[in-house]
Amino acid sequence: MTSKTDGRPALSSELVEQFSLHGRTAVITGAAGGIGRQAAITFTQAGADVLIADVGVAGLEETAEMVAAAGGNATIVPTDVSDRDQVNALADAAIKTHGRLDIWANVAGVIRYMNIVDATPEDVEFITKINLWGTYWGVAAAGRTMTNGGSIINVSSAGGDMPAPTLSIYAMTKAAVSHLTRCAAVELGANNIRVNAIAPGFTDTPMVQSRWTNADGSTNEAERESYTSTRAAQSPLRTIATPEDQSWAMLYLASDASRFITGQVIRPNGGVVMA
Ligand SMILES: NC(=O)c1ccc[n+]([C@@H]2O[C@H](COP(=O)([O-])OP(=O)(O)OC[C@H]3O[C@@H](n4cnc5c(N)ncnc54)[C@H](O)[C@@H]3O)[C@@H](O)[C@H]2O)c1
């Protein structure tokens, strides 16, 4: 129903309903900070019950406090996403805690900077096992566990859309995550499970803050200003993203508002890559 205030239509309750996650259970990996933490808060604000997973337990506890401040009650499930058994246990925890699983966001990820000629087998294994295998096990566990349809949201990157010098392993895993998204959408569509990805552009989170953080944890302000203004200048909008810019796109993909969207990579990147 739409009511009118001051001659303008108020927010339509039908429209709000389409973006609501009320009564849904959501799993979010990488939720100890950055985009995953913000997704947990945004999904809570939209009405979901959240299970938050990460290897960083202290960060998960902070996120749980923020979820509580938003009126929710997060379930903490320490999880290493590169371990298939732990990811399966995370899906089981959703059923045990809330009796259902509707939304699964594969946000956990790592980055390392090096040239291809210098990369070690350990570099390749470490990044691939978390960014790609971790997402793969997440898609598999969610696909197996969602019995009433659902939405799986993977996190790719603008680095998966274009050549990324010094980030070849990271970029390679993110391109693979985008393609895994399309393959999974075809396999799971018959079960009314939608699979999409966001491919964020440069977003102000701990992952990129490491570029301007000193060894003692303090911020190198000159480096921060130089780095962020260079990245902002690459966008037609002349700015970098906040974690909210990513979580709001994720909310759209999690909600019924995107019920006819599957197999897509949505790009909250300020127009840095247009595909
Ligand atoms: N920040 C950006 O500019 C940007 C751009 C494009 C894509 N992304 C992607 O967004 C996602 C979130 O990144 P962020 O920017 O919030 O970074 P972040 O470093 O703040 O968050 C990543 C989280 O993943 C967790 N993690 C690492 N290894 C894990 C493992 N084995 N198991 C479980 N959790 C693990 C970390 O503890 C951390 O909390 C990542 O997949 C990243 O690649 C970020």
Side-chain angles (χ1 to χ4, degrees):
M1 182 196 294
T2 304
S3 59
K4 292 206 167 209
T5 38
D6 296 338
R8 297 189 183 88
L11 268 183
S12 146
S13 55
E14 286 95 334
L15 191 58
V16 170
E17 188 57 30
Q18 293 309 310
F19 285 87
S20 168
L21 303 183
H22 190 76
R24 313 270 169 96
T25 298
V27 164
I28 302 128
T29 74
I35 295 168
R37 167 176 287 170
Q38 186 55 48
I41 295 167
T42 297
F43 288 1
T44 299
Q45 290 169 335
D49 294 313
V50 297
L51 287 90
I52 54 175
D54 204 292
V55 286
V57 176
L60 284 176
E61 283 165 1
E62 284 174 19
T63 302
E65 283 172 22
M66 294 175 186
V67 165
N73 182 16
T75 304
I76 293 176
V77 188
T79 307
D80 178 347
V81 297
S82 67
D83 182 329
R84 182 174 182 261
D85 290 343
Q86 291 188 35
V87 176
N88 285 339
L90 176 58
D92 292 344
I95 300 301
K96 204 170 169 186
T97 316
H98 296 290
R100 56 187 295 156
L101 175 64
D102 308 283
I103 299 154
W104 184 292
N106 288 305
V107 190
V110 289
I111 203 165
R112 277 185 189 175
Y113 302 87
M114 88 285 292
N115 289 318
I116 296 170
V117 294
D118 298 321
T120 65
E122 193 272 333
D123 288 327
V124 177
E125 185 173 343
F126 176 74
I127 299 171
T128 305
K129 271 192 147 179
I130 295 170
N131 293 6
L132 182 54
W133 292 34
T135 304
Y136 196 92
W137 300 139
V139 169
R144 220 178 280 123
T145 309
M146 288 173 169
T147 48
N148 298 312
S151 171
I152 300 172
I153 303 159
N154 296 329
V155 178
S156 179
S157 170
D161 282 330
M162 60 183 178
T166 74
L167 283 175
S168 58
I169 309 169
Y170 177 84
M172 174 179 80
T173 60
K174 293 301 186 176
V177 164
S178 294
H179 200 56
L180 167 63
T181 300
R182 294 183 275 265
C183 295
V186 175
E187 285 195 16
L188 297 173
N191 300 338
N192 195 28
I193 299 171
R194 299 181 297 106
V195 190
N196 293 290
I198 60 164
F202 192 82
T203 308
D204 193 354
T205 69
M207 179 175 277
V208 300
Q209 287 158 5
S210 61
R211 301 294 279 183
W212 54 79
T213 302
N214 298 318
D216 64 0
S218 62
T219 300
N220 181 332
E221 286 299 342
E223 186 66 20
R224 180 182 207 285
E225 173 54 29
S226 158
Y227 206 85
T228 55
S229 60
T230 302
R231 300 306 292 257
Q234 293 166 351
S235 161
L237 299 175
R238 302 288 186 268
T239 188
I240 64 168
T242 67
E244 286 88 347
D245 293 319
Q246 307 307 332
S247 72
W248 292 331
M250 293 171 73
L251 171 61
Y252 170 63
L253 293 175
S255 72
D256 290 346
S258 64
R259 67 186 182 191
F260 198 50
I261 310 280
T262 197
Q264 305 302 315
V265 179
I266 292 188
R267 295 179 169 80
N269 64 18
V272 170
V273 181
M274 300 184 189

